[in-house]
Amino acid sequence: MDLLSHFLSMLTVESTSISSWHLSEPWGVAVQDYQPGFCFIVNEGSFVVQTAAGQTLHLAQGDTLLVPRGGECRLLSRPGVATTDLHELNWSEPRSPRLDRSTQPGSAISVVHGGGGALCRLLGLAFSIHSGQGGFVLAALPDFIVLRDADSSMLSLMRPAIEALLADNKNGYYAVAKHMAELIVVGLLRSYILSDKGFSPGWLKGLQDPYICKAMLAIHEAPQRQWSVPLLAGVANLSRSTFAARFCRVIGQSPIDYLSAWRITLAAQMLRDGNASVAQIAAAVGYQSDRVFRQAFRERMAMSPRHYRNQQVD
């Protein structure tokens, strides 16, 4: 498996909601206190996004706004228009658009909003990602991603299927919608990663380095191995000093720090999802001493492994 496939395979959609938006000029929607990730695909018209950080993004027909971790923003027909809170819109069903792990909607929802002028039609998708390995992937992504119509040919092929799903209220809807959401999110992220060359240091930048990506893949495929900088340098076909300097420059941390971060990510998932003992988990992710593992876990997670597991149960 190539390294990009490895990272994208970590993403598991836990819940999802697909929606149809009919917005007429003038209109504005304030997205606040909203944690699920979401995206909007512009089927007709255009709109402006103003983020809490002061960015202004313009989207036209065929473009997609992807917000992987959720975030505060305003969606506007044009700058300066008044906004209505997301949760106060006229939804087709009397339920909040919030999502959590227990949410399993039985059909798509729709919203009609605006002043009756020029129409903007959006396909909306809200989703939550399993916070284990998926969290490792999401942490490296920007808050707001805009994909232009030409950036994702796969999305144009999926649009008819999404449109069909919007009209589907039969049994089995949620199962199909969940897999469709995963396909859309993974496809959009793949398009973004393959098209953007200006990444900051991190695993995204590492994907583009033919030497560093070999070492990263080795770490991810065998985290339990007793890796050292010389061993990883050999995998990358570089000298020890060249490899260490290049890894730090590209990834933003040392090879051993990156290895530790990945091991703790795996350990956290095992603590949350399984019943293995702390000692068993420590050995499984490459620690020869559970004392060293406990210390490493506490340094990265700010709590002990036992406390972390108990917190997930609560």
Side-chain angles (χ1 to χ4, degrees):
M1 182 185 298
D2 65 89
L3 188 57
L4 178 55
S5 293
H6 172 80
F7 278 111
L8 294 177
S9 295
M10 297 179 196
L11 299 173
T12 302
V13 173
E14 290 189 317
S15 56
T16 183
S17 174
I18 295 177
S19 53
S20 175
W21 296 60
H22 293 258
L23 306 163
S24 56
E25 170 80 29
W27 60 269
V29 177
V31 181
Q32 303 177 79
D33 187 28
Y34 193 71
Q35 292 306 311
F38 59 89
C39 77
F40 287 105
I41 303 165
V42 187
N43 267 6
E44 181 180 347
S46 62
F47 73 102
V48 176
V49 182
Q50 293 181 338
T51 72
Q55 286 179 290
T56 299
L57 309 170
H58 297 266
L59 288 94
Q61 185 170 331
D63 295 343
T64 299
L65 173 70
L66 176 61
V67 187
R69 296 178 297 274
E72 184 176 329
C73 65
R74 295 190 300 162
L75 314 176
L76 310 167
S77 59
R78 65 176 186 272
V81 300
T83 61
T84 301
D85 188 87
L86 173 71
H87 303 289
E88 296 176 359
L89 296 176
N90 183 26
W91 295 93
S92 61
E93 295 188 18
R95 67 180 182 215
S96 167
R98 294 180 186 273
L99 285 180
D100 56 42
R101 293 184 185 182
S102 65
T103 302
Q104 296 185 2
S107 64
I109 55 179
S110 63
V111 61
V112 177
H113 180 64
L119 182 65
C120 178
R121 286 199 310 118
L122 307 176
L123 292 176
L125 173 67
F127 57 89
S128 63
I129 297 289
H130 191 287
S131 58
Q133 296 180 38
F136 187 93
V137 175
L138 294 179
L141 298 171
D143 293 333
F144 293 86
I145 297 170
V146 173
L147 288 156
R148 301 303 176 188
D149 191 23
D151 292 336
S152 182
S153 58
M154 183 183 295
L155 188 59
S156 63
L157 298 176
M158 290 191 288
R159 277 200 184 95
I162 301 170
E163 292 276 14
L165 204 56
L166 288 172
D168 188 346
N169 60 0
K170 301 181 182 67
N171 290 343
Y173 163 83
Y174 177 74
V176 176
K178 182 174 181 291
H179 288 293
M180 178 70 75
E182 195 163 77
L183 179 60
I184 293 169
V185 172
V186 171
L188 289 173
L189 288 176
R190 176 175 180 261
S191 296
Y192 165 70
I193 292 167
L194 292 176
S195 65
D196 194 319
K197 306 302 180 185
F199 297 124
S200 300
W203 67 261
L204 285 170
K205 196 174 185 69
L207 289 172
Q208 300 170 346
D209 188 295
Y211 300 98
I212 298 305
C213 70
K214 293 178 182 178
M216 292 171 64
L217 185 58
I219 287 171
H220 282 260
E221 288 184 334
Q224 76 285 354
R225 185 174 176 184
Q226 297 307 301
W227 291 109
S228 65
V229 174
L231 281 175
L232 290 168
V235 171
N237 295 319
L238 294 172
S239 71
R240 183 191 183 285
S241 59
T242 299
F243 168 74
R246 187 171 184 138
F247 195 100
C248 287
R249 184 176 67 252
V250 172
I251 304 301
Q253 58 187 152
S254 73
I256 300 306
D257 283 345
Y258 183 87
L259 170 63
S260 177
W262 178 236
R263 284 174 168 174
I264 297 303
T265 296
L266 293 176
Q269 182 167 327
M270 294 170 72
L271 286 164
R272 183 175 55 251
D273 299 339
N275 298 315
S277 69
V278 170
Q280 290 171 325
I281 292 172
V285 298
Y287 287 92
Q288 296 178 313
S289 162
D290 60 338
R291 181 187 62 80
V292 175
F293 165 69
R294 291 171 194 273
Q295 180 180 345
F297 193 95
R298 185 183 293 275
E299 288 176 354
R300 196 162 294 274
M301 304 297 288
M303 66 183 73
S304 70
R306 188 177 302 279
H307 185 191
Y308 179 85
R309 170 174 272 169
N310 291 340
Q311 192 179 70
Q312 306 311 305
V313 173
D314 296 341

